[in-house]
């Protein structure tokens, strides 16, 4: 952004005319400085007071007009009512450029005033005379540095009070974007990147700019904390099926925008730390939503769906610093798939399960498998009665009802998640049936008694139900 650019018709008034009117009195000021130092100091103080009034009036007008314009622009762009108000990159660029231009306008005014004060109040004359006698006794570079520091101290004393409020004006202008967190963060990153442009130690504006950046850093940190809190403190206010939390999509958009913003910034390490904090906040938020008493779905469903969606986004982003968190999210997703499958599937062959569970307890107490069938309650007749309680038709009907329940629970349109759950349901059911078959062959060897449904039947049922839907 060039220093001679301005924001439409909103420009800072230059004081060159006032400066030209005062310069003829420069020799008088020089004489006062040499012969009447107290009067010189009083003149300098009076100038500070009057100049501060002039600039305050000008700053009030300039920043008020900017604030009004930008508030109107924010309203017209409907950011507050937009679900994407964090990531409108085109708007971010516009507003960042505006702040840059405001900074450039003020820089011209400050440096112009500084040059005038140095010339009019002869700020460098006594510094030069004081150091002339030291040139023969000191290193030239050290002497120049000392002279520079002393001159800067005089400049700060001469104009510091005039421009003391300026960082507050900048801060107030940026605060317009308080509801648009990424904009403030973007402004901070961009202005930090341009810090080298304002590192001229001879310019008092570098001090003003530095003070502004310190305040902006605090504001940026506050914005980051607000986003983090909004991700973790999920509140479900009414009874509902939760589905995929909007914070997960917001995280994805925010991460993409932030990566672009920080691409050439020395603050990249700050971004890495912040993204990890946001990832942790998302995990906490998912757990909070899952445990909400207003959720209509089992906690495992809320976790499973959201960890699955979050894992997909983290995998897409491929952010190195989040690799460990990505693996953690994948593990949480897989754990909750397992929990959900076991909760929903339960014991589809309940009577058979109870029958063999009692047999296993007997075996644990020392009865051999060969002796089991001689127990009256576990005779071959009892085994036959239990196995015929679950004909193939009833088993398939139960699985169809189970599939419908799963469809209702999974609110997302991601068919891959449904397929994963259904496939794991199949594996869990097969494991149960295989276990029962092993116990039959172990305890009822040669009985030729089998379950009404076998492995092939179950595979066929699961396949047909999935294809039907």
């Amino acid at each position: 952004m060039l220093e001679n650019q301005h924001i439409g018709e909103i420009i800072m008034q230059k004081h060159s005319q006032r400066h030209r009117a005062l310069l003829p009195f420069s020799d008088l000021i020089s004489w006062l400085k040499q012969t009447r130092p107290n009067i010189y100091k009083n003149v300098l103080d009076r100038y500070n007071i009057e100049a501060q009034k002039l600039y305050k009036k000008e700053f009030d007008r300039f920043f008020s007009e900017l604030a009004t314009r930008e508030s109107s622009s924010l309203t017209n762009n409907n950011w507050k009512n937009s679900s994407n108000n964090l990531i409108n990159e085109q708007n971010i660029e516009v507003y960042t450029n505006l702040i840059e231009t405001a900074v450039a306008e003020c820089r011209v005014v400050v440096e112009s005033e500084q040059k005038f004060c140095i010339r009019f109040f002869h700020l460098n004359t006594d510094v030069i005379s004081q150091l002339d006698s030291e040139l023969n006794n000191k290193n030239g570079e050290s002497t120049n540095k000392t002279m520079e520091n002393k001159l800067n101290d005089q400049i700060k004393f001469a104009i510091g009070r005039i421009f003391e409020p300026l960082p507050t004006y900048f801060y107030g202008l940026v605060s317009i974007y308080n509801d648009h967190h990424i904009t403030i963060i973007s402004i901070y990153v961009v202005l930090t990147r341009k810090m080298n442009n304002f590192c001229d130690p001879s310019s008092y504006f570098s001090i003003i700019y530095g003070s502004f950046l310190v305040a902006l850093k605090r504001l940026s940190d506050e914005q980051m904390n607000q986003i983090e809190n909004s991700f973790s403190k999920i509140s479900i206010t009414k009874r509902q099926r939760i589905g995929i939390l909007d914070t997960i999509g917001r995280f994805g958009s925010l991460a993409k925008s932030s990566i672009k913003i920080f691409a050439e910034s020395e603050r990249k390490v700050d971004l890495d730390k912040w993204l990890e904090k946001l990832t942790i906040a998302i995990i906490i938020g998912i757990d909070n939503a899952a445990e909400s008493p207003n959720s209509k779905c089992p906690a495992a469903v809320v976790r499973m769906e959201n960890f699955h969606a979050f894992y997909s986004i983290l995998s897409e982003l491929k952010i190195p610093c989040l690799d460990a968190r990505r693996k953690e999210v994948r593990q949480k997703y897989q754990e909750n798939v397992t929990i959900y499958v076991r909760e929903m599937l339960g014991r589809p062959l309940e009577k058979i399960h109870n029958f063999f569970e009692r047999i296993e307890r007997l075996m644990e107490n020392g009865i051999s498998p060969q002796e089991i069938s001689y127990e009256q309650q576990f005779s071959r007749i009892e085994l036959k009665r239990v196995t015929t309680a679950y004909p193939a038709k009833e088993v398939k009907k139960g699985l169809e009802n189970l599939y419908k329940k799963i469809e209702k629970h999974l609110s997302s349109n991601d068919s891959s998640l449904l397929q994963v759950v259904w496939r794991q349901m199949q594996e869990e059911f097969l494991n149960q049936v295989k276990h029962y078959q092993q116990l039959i062959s172990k305890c009822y060897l040669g009985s030729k008694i089998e379950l009404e449904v076998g492995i092939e039947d179950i595979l066929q049922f699961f396949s047909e139900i999935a294809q039907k839907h």
Side-chain angles (χ1 to χ4, degrees):
M1 192 62 65
L2 300 176
E3 290 183 0
N4 61 354
Q5 286 183 307
H6 54 80
I7 307 97
E9 299 301 319
I10 307 174
I11 60 174
M12 282 287 291
Q13 180 182 348
K14 306 304 183 288
H15 290 241
S16 53
Q17 186 174 355
R18 176 173 63 84
H19 292 163
R20 283 195 298 269
L22 290 173
L23 277 177
F25 300 96
S26 177
D27 290 341
L28 174 60
I29 296 298
S30 176
W31 179 79
L32 288 174
K33 185 173 185 178
Q34 295 174 25
T35 61
R36 302 287 191 273
N38 289 336
I39 297 177
Y40 169 83
K41 183 178 181 303
N42 290 337
V43 171
L44 180 58
D45 288 343
R46 181 60 183 269
Y47 178 84
N48 265 256
I49 293 170
E50 297 303 322
Q52 185 183 39
K53 291 178 182 178
L54 287 174
Y55 281 112
K56 183 182 184 306
K57 183 178 180 181
E58 178 60 15
F59 289 151
D60 285 344
R61 179 199 64 80
F62 178 71
F63 284 97
S64 176
E65 290 180 6
L66 280 182
T68 301
R69 172 172 172 167
E70 289 318 296
S71 296
S72 174
S73 178
L74 289 174
T75 302
N76 292 338
N77 283 322
N78 201 26
W79 267 22
K80 289 188 178 181
N81 297 323
S82 170
S83 60
N84 293 322
N85 63 355
L86 287 175
I87 54 168
N88 191 322
E89 294 179 15
Q90 185 176 1
N91 285 341
I92 288 174
E93 183 178 0
V94 170
Y95 302 135
T96 302
N97 287 343
L98 178 135
I99 299 297
E100 286 187 78
T101 307
V103 168
E105 281 283 304
C106 292
R107 179 184 186 180
V108 172
V109 170
V110 171
E111 292 186 345
S112 174
E113 182 66 32
Q114 176 179 325
K115 290 176 183 177
F116 168 76
C117 285
I118 290 174
R119 182 178 177 185
F120 184 71
F121 289 104
H122 302 273
L123 298 180
N124 55 353
T125 54
D126 55 345
V127 174
I128 294 173
S129 61
Q130 181 181 346
L131 294 173
D132 274 343
S133 60
E134 302 177 15
L135 287 175
N136 295 327
N137 302 322
K138 291 188 177 182
N139 177 272
E141 182 179 346
S142 174
T143 301
N144 289 337
K145 193 69 177 175
T146 303
M147 184 172 69
E148 182 181 281
N149 291 338
K150 291 194 174 185
L151 179 58
N152 289 340
D153 289 341
Q154 286 213 15
I155 292 171
K156 182 177 180 180
F157 176 76
I159 68 173
R161 183 164 54 179
I162 298 174
F163 298 110
E164 185 179 8
L166 191 50
T168 305
Y169 282 99
F170 285 134
Y171 186 85
L173 182 61
V174 172
S175 297
I176 294 173
Y177 310 107
N178 265 345
D179 291 335
H180 316 297
H181 309 299
I182 196 64
T183 304
I184 289 180
I185 296 169
S186 176
I187 291 170
Y188 169 68
V189 171
V190 170
L191 294 185
T192 301
R193 192 185 304 151
K194 294 179 179 292
M195 183 64 186
N196 289 336
N197 297 340
F198 302 98
C199 282
D200 181 0
S202 65
S203 172
Y204 183 72
F205 187 78
S206 63
I207 297 176
I208 296 173
Y209 192 77
S211 299
F212 171 46
L213 281 187
V214 170
L216 189 55
K217 176 64 166 66
R218 285 197 297 267
L219 183 59
S220 178
D221 289 342
E222 289 173 8
Q223 301 299 311
M224 289 181 172
N225 289 335
Q226 286 181 24
I227 297 174
E228 185 181 339
N229 289 335
S230 72
F231 283 0
S232 63
K233 295 178 180 178
I234 302 296
S235 177
I236 311 299
T237 56
K238 61 181 180 180
R239 187 82 174 156
Q240 60 182 291
R241 187 169 65 179
I242 294 174
I244 305 298
L245 299 173
D246 68 339
T247 52
I248 293 177
R250 286 169 56 202
F251 172 87
S253 300
L254 185 61
K256 290 175 184 176
S257 296
S258 299
I259 290 170
K260 289 182 181 179
I261 291 168
F262 282 82
E264 300 176 4
S265 172
E266 296 177 357
R267 315 298 302 185
K268 180 72 165 51
V269 64
D270 291 343
L271 174 64
D272 290 346
K273 291 178 181 178
W274 184 48
L275 288 178
E276 182 165 12
K277 286 183 178 180
L278 290 185
T279 303
I280 295 171
I282 290 283
I283 293 172
I284 294 172
I286 292 172
D287 285 332
N288 287 339
E291 297 300 327
S292 171
N294 288 323
S295 173
K296 287 185 177 180
C297 291
V301 172
V302 177
R303 290 190 174 97
M304 176 179 64
E305 280 194 303
N306 282 280
F307 284 131
H308 177 259
F310 194 30
Y311 173 70
S312 298
I313 286 179
L314 291 175
S315 298
E316 177 189 345
L317 290 172
K318 297 179 181 178
I319 301 174
C321 69
L322 297 182
D323 192 54
R325 295 296 175 188
R326 180 182 61 82
K327 293 176 182 177
E328 177 188 349
V329 169
R330 180 181 61 183
Q331 182 179 350
K332 288 179 177 291
Y333 152 64
Q334 292 172 338
E335 287 173 353
N336 281 280
V337 169
T338 301
I339 292 171
Y340 176 66
V341 165
R342 289 177 179 172
E343 286 179 352
M344 290 301 296
L345 183 63
R347 305 284 187 267
L349 309 178
E350 185 70 25
K351 293 179 181 178
I352 295 176
H353 174 79
N354 292 337
F355 182 82
F356 284 111
E357 190 175 50
R358 295 200 303 273
I359 287 177
E360 286 180 314
R361 281 201 293 267
L362 287 176
M363 293 168 63
E364 288 172 0
N365 290 329
I367 297 179
S368 67
Q370 293 77 16
E371 297 176 294
I372 293 294
S373 62
Y374 295 105
E375 297 285 336
Q376 184 176 355
Q377 57 183 332
F378 300 113
S379 66
R380 295 188 179 191
I381 295 174
E382 286 298 315
L383 173 63
K384 185 68 175 177
R385 184 181 63 80
V386 170
T387 55
T388 55
Y390 296 97
K393 183 179 179 180
E394 291 300 317
V395 172
K396 185 176 182 181
K397 183 179 179 180
L399 291 175
E400 286 176 338
N401 291 334
L402 177 62
Y403 191 91
K404 291 176 183 177
K405 286 182 181 179
I406 297 171
E407 279 188 314
K408 286 183 178 180
H409 282 160
L410 300 182
S411 60
S412 66
N413 295 321
D414 188 354
S415 60
S416 64
L417 180 57
L418 179 58
Q419 292 171 10
V420 168
V421 172
W422 192 239
R423 186 163 54 248
Q424 194 152 330
M425 288 278 187
Q426 175 182 286
E427 290 301 314
E428 181 68 19
F429 196 5
L430 287 174
N431 288 337
Q432 291 183 24
V433 170
K434 288 176 182 177
H435 182 60
Y436 303 148
Q437 288 177 336
Q438 288 172 358
L439 287 172
I440 290 174
S441 63
K442 189 174 184 179
C443 300
Y444 299 91
L445 186 63
S447 67
K448 296 183 180 180
I449 299 174
E450 296 180 350
L451 300 176
E452 291 290 311
V453 289
I455 300 299
E456 293 301 322
D457 297 321
I458 293 170
L459 289 172
Q460 183 179 348
F461 294 161
F462 272 88
S463 177
E464 288 177 354
I465 293 170
Q467 290 175 10
K468 186 188 298 184
H469 294 77

